[in-house]
């Protein structure tokens, strides 16, 4: 069994938002990747962005700039 570690998870209200976020992150070289929403979280579209927790401020700013107010961030152990 592998050890769980703290991970920043961003959830989205729609698949379209998740895909737009992935494209933006690739273009701006922001850390992370799309994953299925962890079972510890409930989210609308089933996709989430996984990133290191130390990137929270940077990603929060990028979400604001992208206009993705329907998204939420949390740090969980996965």
């Amino acid at each position: 069994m592998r050890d769980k570690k703290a991970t920043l998870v961003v959830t989205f209200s729609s698949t379209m938002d998740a895909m737009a976020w992935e494209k933006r992150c690739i273009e701006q070289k922001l850390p992370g990747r799309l994953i299925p929403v962890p079972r510890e979280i409930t989210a609308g579209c089933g996709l989430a962005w996984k990133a290191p927790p130390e990137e929270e401020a940077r990603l929060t700013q990028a979400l604001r700039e992208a206009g993705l107010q329907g998204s939420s961030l949390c740090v969980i152990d996965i």
Side-chain angles (χ1 to χ4, degrees):
M1 187 161 125
R2 69 182 175 95
D3 292 333
K4 293 182 178 188
K5 66 178 190 173
T7 302
L8 177 67
V9 177
V10 182
T11 60
F12 304 94
S13 57
S14 73
T15 302
M16 186 178 271
D17 284 350
M19 301 303 283
W21 176 249
E22 179 183 42
K23 181 179 177 188
R24 182 180 191 94
C25 286
I26 290 169
E27 289 171 353
Q28 295 184 359
K29 296 186 181 2
L30 295 170
R33 64 184 174 96
L34 277 180
I35 61 168
V37 172
R39 63 181 158 209
E40 297 89 352
I41 303 173
T42 303
C45 79
L47 292 173
W49 189 257
K50 175 184 176 182
E54 59 271 11
E55 296 291 341
E56 184 172 2
R58 188 172 164 202
L59 293 175
T60 299
Q61 179 64 32
L63 284 165
R64 246 184 258 128
E65 290 171 2
L68 295 173
Q69 287 82 11
S71 59
S72 61
L73 289 101
C74 64
V75 177
I76 62 169
D77 291 331
I78 56 172

